[in-house]
Amino acid sequence: MTLPDTDTDTDTAASTAGADRTFQVDLRGLVDLLSHHLYSSPRVYLRELLQNAVDALTARRGLEPDAPADAFGIRLYADGSVVRVEDDGVGLTEADVHTFLATIGRSSKRAEQITEQRGDFIGQFGIGLLSCFLVADEIHVVSRSARTPGAPAVEWRGRGDGSYTVRTLPVSARPRPGTTITLTPRGDAGEWTRPTQVHALARHFGSLLRHPVTFDDGTGGTGGTGGTGAPVNPEPAPWARTYPTPGTRSRALAAYGEEVFGFTPLDTIELDLPAVGLKGIACVLPEAVPAGRRHGHRVHVKGMLLSEQAEEILPDWAFFVRCVVDAESLRPTASRESLYEDDTLAAVRDALAEQLRAWIARAAAGDPDLLARFLRAHHLAVKSLAVHDDEILRMLLPWLPFETTDGHTTLDEFARTHRTVLVTSSVEEFRQVAAIASAAGLGVVNGGYTYDRELVHRLPEIRPEAVVADLDPATLTAHLDPVDRETELAAVAYLALARDALAVFDCDVALRTFQPASAPALLVDSREARHERTRSQLAREQEGGLWGDILGALRQEAPRAQLILNQLNPLVRTAVAIEEPELARTSAEALYGQAVLLSRRPLRPAESSLINRSFLDLLAHALRKDS
């Protein structure tokens, strides 16, 4: 799409029937589209100018490979009234200006003579200069080509209304090859064009650039047209520097991570993928983060900051680190604010994941203190990795903490104490049985948390002598002692009333003795059993219809819940001796309600109603008795 020329006779073109027509571009509308849908903020204008300058320097270096390393650079100038970016790059001829600056979507980096070098350039889309219209109504470009010896300087002025002018200037207007771009900011763009802000943006986007970049705010130097100015990127990336000792290097990388991310890393992991020219560091977060929360990572491409929120550079399970990397071969999207999802990015993600695994392996083999601190903070991340990674499973499963009837402990310690490791299928099931199982000497692991049940069942792969089984209600009740026959006969009438009162919940009632004596009752009821009873109830309600036939075909013998009363508890001994039928029913309902509450599972409406009713009935009975 070409910008409309001021000399075009559109009336004549329109009057020719069937003639081909050229799209006319509303430049203001296009800039508005860029600002709202392509770029995240007007601040990207400076990144685009720096990027164009870096690409021009790259092309110049291709023409003069033997030039000194510091022969070419970039100079920024901002004094509040103008923003200027000058480079010593390859420059443009008059023909280049007409071809590349006046045509939307065409990039000088697509020029035939440098097509084979395209991978050396940051930009690929040829629309970066338009971003300057986010802060200015006019772009002034003066350029002189290094490709053509003795070429004159060329001036191009582009305006926000879509018009532009081009004229040739004498050589003295631009003594050296390169390009100078000058913006006169609009009044509403001061937030992004103040000298302090321009300097901050230059540091933000260009701190790792490989070409020297300087900044002048007009208070010294020569106005940015040849003065030295203040260095924007005085040092190379920290991983590219040399250090006297490994310890010094480690501390320097940690200090850089703290400067970038604002936290002191638990450790830093050097990242190096020579195949794609990627180097950087991963900073291990010192504290746990919510499962699944993905942090953004800082990604530079050829030194230019691409994104601070690049989630796609690492796999989902690596949420315990934040990375800053610089790469040569990653492909940016059109906005150059994120990475293009392609095979190269997928391969980079897998390779970085391997380097994180290798760090965990080194910590497990040689630094138990670091490993312990890491697992305390990030055991969930490691569990998610161990589920799919056999090597990590073998190395770290024995060291991972789990909630057990012995408290929070590692599987290795737990398996030494309990030859048979029982695991629950839900958190609520564990909470129902934990105290009683512990008193009975059973070793139970809470398998209700993400990954835990699957990992516990894989323990025999690491410890062949360990036996792992799902906790079955029958296993627990088998460890509860029966009461003597005389006591059981004395409680028959009460147990019958209790079963009748709790029949609506498909709950049986039994009397046993178990520790701790402070626990009046135990509700044995799994989630699967509740689901089966719900399905059976629905089938009964739908009996006779098509849906009822389908549910009936699936119907099994509905498992019942079991409320086990503890004869060792004084309250239970008093309850089973109650002779008044209504009070006996109410006490049974209250004991059931208390057992449900202790399980911490969601209450059904009928259970909430029962708990409220039994409490009020007991209160009323107590008040009547006192009166």
Side-chain angles (χ1 to χ4, degrees):
M1 292 187 288
T2 305
L3 295 170
D5 196 309
T6 53
D7 297 328
T8 301
D9 187 352
T10 56
D11 292 337
T12 302
S15 63
T16 305
D20 289 340
R21 293 175 170 80
T22 301
F23 283 109
Q24 301 301 303
V25 177
D26 179 356
L27 189 57
R28 292 189 185 278
L30 180 58
V31 170
D32 182 70
L33 180 67
L34 294 178
S35 65
H36 287 92
H37 299 285
L38 185 64
Y39 296 124
S40 61
S41 165
R43 69 177 184 167
V44 300
Y45 83 92
L46 191 68
R47 184 197 66 196
E48 297 293 338
L49 291 178
L50 282 172
Q51 178 174 287
N52 287 342
V54 169
D55 286 341
L57 291 176
T58 301
R60 178 78 180 272
R61 178 63 64 183
L63 289 177
E64 304 176 40
D66 297 328
D70 59 351
F72 310 130
I74 302 170
R75 294 167 293 281
L76 307 179
Y77 175 80
D79 63 1
S81 59
V82 298
V83 175
R84 184 159 56 241
V85 179
E86 180 181 1
D87 67 69
D88 300 317
V90 70
L92 299 170
T93 64
E94 182 176 358
D96 292 336
V97 166
H98 283 289
T99 301
F100 301 123
L101 297 189
T103 304
I104 297 173
R106 180 177 296 175
S107 171
S108 60
K109 293 175 283 296
R110 292 190 176 91
E112 195 171 293
Q113 60 266 41
I114 62 172
T115 298
E116 68 277 5
Q117 300 173 340
R118 199 173 159 190
D120 296 333
F121 299 93
I122 303 171
Q124 302 287 329
F125 298 91
I127 58 175
L129 195 62
L130 288 180
S131 67
C132 294
F133 286 120
L134 300 175
V135 297
D137 287 327
E138 182 176 283
I139 305 171
H140 179 216
V141 179
V142 175
S143 187
R144 182 181 170 196
S145 176
R147 299 182 189 280
T148 306
V154 182
E155 177 190 68
W156 179 88
R157 289 184 184 272
R159 289 171 285 275
D161 61 5
S163 62
Y164 71 93
T165 59
V166 178
R167 63 179 181 137
T168 301
L169 302 178
V171 172
S172 58
R174 175 83 200 191
R176 297 181 299 176
T179 301
T180 301
I181 299 177
T182 304
L183 310 178
T184 301
R186 294 195 306 271
D188 61 353
E191 177 184 359
W192 308 109
T193 57
R194 294 192 305 269
T196 54
Q197 181 69 295
V198 172
H199 186 223
L201 291 176
R203 288 279 299 165
H204 180 73
F205 290 117
S207 62
L208 299 186
L209 288 175
R210 292 81 181 269
H211 303 282
V213 182
T214 59
F215 173 78
D216 187 353
D217 63 1
T219 60
T222 58
T225 58
T228 56
V232 168
N233 53 342
E235 295 182 300
W239 47 83
R241 306 172 202 163
T242 57
Y243 300 90
T245 65
T248 305
R249 181 179 184 86
S250 178
R251 288 189 293 272
L253 294 179
Y256 180 74
E258 184 172 4
E259 176 187 348
V260 170
F261 296 122
F263 63 83
T264 302
L266 185 68
D267 196 16
T268 55
I269 308 165
E270 287 205 56
L271 306 174
D272 188 7
L273 301 178
V276 292
L278 183 147
K279 288 182 177 293
I281 58 172
C283 297
V284 182
L285 291 158
E287 297 177 350
V289 294
R293 175 184 291 179
R294 300 186 66 185
H295 289 289
H297 307 286
R298 288 175 65 94
V299 175
H300 299 252
V301 174
K302 300 178 179 68
M304 180 70 71
L305 178 64
L306 179 77
S307 174
E308 297 174 271
Q309 299 296 326
E311 297 181 352
E312 60 274 18
I313 195 73
L314 288 180
D316 291 348
W317 56 259
F319 54 80
F320 58 89
V321 296
R322 295 193 68 183
C323 295
V324 53
V325 299
D326 186 18
E328 295 288 333
S329 302
L330 293 180
R331 180 182 172 191
T333 59
S335 67
R336 290 186 282 276
E337 294 184 333
S338 59
L339 295 171
Y340 189 83
E341 188 67 49
D342 57 10
D343 291 342
T344 299
L345 179 58
V348 166
R349 186 163 48 238
D350 290 343
L352 291 179
E354 284 300 320
Q355 297 198 355
L356 295 183
R357 289 188 184 95
W359 174 82
I360 295 175
R362 290 195 300 272
D367 197 337
D369 179 63
L370 173 61
L371 178 66
R373 288 185 286 125
F374 170 66
L375 290 180
R376 278 198 298 270
H378 301 296
H379 60 273
L380 184 59
V382 177
K383 286 178 180 179
S384 69
L385 177 57
V387 167
H388 307 290
D389 191 308
D390 290 344
E391 181 180 354
I392 294 297
L393 180 79
R394 288 190 297 272
M395 286 190 302
L396 296 183
L397 181 58
W399 307 101
L400 290 172
F402 290 81
E403 185 180 6
T404 74
T405 47
D406 291 351
H408 282 83
T409 185
T410 66
L411 277 186
D412 192 59
E413 294 175 353
F414 195 69
R416 293 178 191 276
T417 306
H418 303 279
R419 184 171 182 81
T420 299
V421 177
L422 301 172
V423 58
T424 65
S425 60
S426 66
V427 173
E428 63 192 49
E429 184 180 356
F430 177 80
R431 288 169 177 167
Q432 286 176 25
V433 305
I436 295 163
S438 178
L442 297 176
V444 182
V445 179
N446 186 349
Y449 295 115
T450 306
Y451 312 118
D452 282 14
R453 183 167 176 266
E454 183 177 354
L455 289 173
V456 174
H457 273 286
R458 297 190 67 180
L459 180 62
E461 299 177 28
I462 314 303
R463 298 282 185 270
E465 69 278 8
V467 177
V468 177
D470 286 325
L471 178 66
D472 186 278
T475 303
L476 182 62
T477 55
H479 283 76
L480 305 181
D481 296 326
V483 297
D484 59 74
R485 185 168 183 79
E486 183 179 343
T487 301
E488 188 172 11
L489 288 174
V492 165
Y494 179 85
L495 294 177
L497 288 170
R499 292 184 184 111
D500 183 64
L502 301 179
V504 67
F505 301 113
D506 288 314
C507 183
D508 195 8
V509 184
L511 186 64
R512 298 286 189 273
T513 63
F514 53 86
Q515 295 292 338
S518 58
L522 167 67
L523 181 64
V524 179
D525 189 21
S526 67
R527 179 181 301 177
E528 292 76 12
R530 292 197 303 277
H531 287 176
E532 180 60 34
R533 291 198 301 274
T534 300
R535 187 172 64 182
S536 297
Q537 176 64 29
L538 183 58
R540 289 194 296 271
E541 293 174 356
Q542 298 288 338
E543 194 167 334
L546 176 61
W547 183 237
D549 292 339
I550 294 173
L551 291 175
L554 298 174
R555 186 185 306 171
Q556 303 172 2
E557 182 64 29
R560 305 192 74 193
Q562 192 172 32
L563 179 68
I564 303 175
L565 304 180
N566 187 3
Q567 177 64 19
L568 298 180
N569 183 268
L571 179 62
V572 171
R573 290 200 299 271
T574 301
V576 296
I578 295 174
E579 296 180 356
E580 184 181 339
E582 285 305 314
L583 181 58
R585 292 175 61 91
T586 300
S587 66
E589 291 173 343
L591 288 169
Y592 175 84
Q594 190 258 0
V596 172
L597 290 174
L598 286 178
S599 72
R600 301 184 189 179
R601 67 168 169 80
L603 295 176
R604 290 176 286 179
E607 290 171 337
S608 297
S609 176
L610 174 138
I611 291 171
N612 290 331
R613 186 179 68 252
S614 62
F615 171 76
L616 293 175
D617 287 349
L618 288 175
L619 180 60
H621 176 80
L623 292 175
R624 286 196 304 271
K625 184 177 179 181
D626 290 342
S627 62

